[in-house]
């Protein structure tokens, strides 16, 4: 069985990303994700975990990506705040 790891995508604004983000995440702002996601991840079976500050923007983005045909998309519960509170690695 081939193991694929999920792509972690930060959908926050540029200034939020610049202030700190999850280690290993890529930044695709909520305002441009529909435009940019296909060029970066054309395989609709790519596992994608989205996060924002608290979960609202990432939930909206996840819904849109699912409507675009992405099969394995999730919104991280609690977002960036939960990530930091858990002591998960940051950059």
């Amino acid at each position: 069985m081939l193991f694929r790891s999920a792509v972690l995508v930060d959908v926050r604004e540029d200034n939020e990303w610049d202030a700190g983000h999850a280690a290993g995440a890529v930044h695709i702002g909520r305002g441009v994700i529909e435009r940019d996601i296909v060029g970066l991840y054309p395989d609709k079976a790519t596992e994608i975990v989205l996060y924002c500050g608290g979960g609202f923007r990432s939930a909206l983005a996840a819904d849109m990506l699912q409507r675009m045909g992405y099969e394995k998309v999730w919104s991280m519960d609690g977002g960036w705040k939960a990530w930091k509170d858990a002591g998960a690695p940051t950059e």
Side-chain angles (χ1 to χ4, degrees), residues 68-85:
M68 292 173 64
Y70 284 87
E71 303 163 3
K72 300 174 185 172
V73 180
W74 295 274
S75 174
M76 182 189 300
D77 189 32
W80 172 240
K81 180 178 178 346
W83 184 272
K84 288 191 312 182
D85 289 350

Side-chain angles (χ1 to χ4, degrees), residues 7-10 17 21-28 41 49 51 83 89 91:
V7 176
L8 184 59
V9 178
D10 185 323
W17 166 265
H21 52 272
V26 296
H27 182 235
I28 310 173
Y41 304 103
V49 177
Y51 76 91
W83 184 272
E91 297 177 351

Side-chain angles (χ1 to χ4, degrees), residues 9 14 26-42 48 65 68 70:
V9 178
D14 293 347
V26 296
H27 182 235
I28 310 173
R30 171 66 191 101
V32 297
I33 195 164
E34 293 92 342
R35 181 193 74 195
D36 294 351
I37 195 74
V38 176
L40 294 169
Y41 304 103
I48 302 172
L65 294 186
M68 292 173 64
Y70 284 87

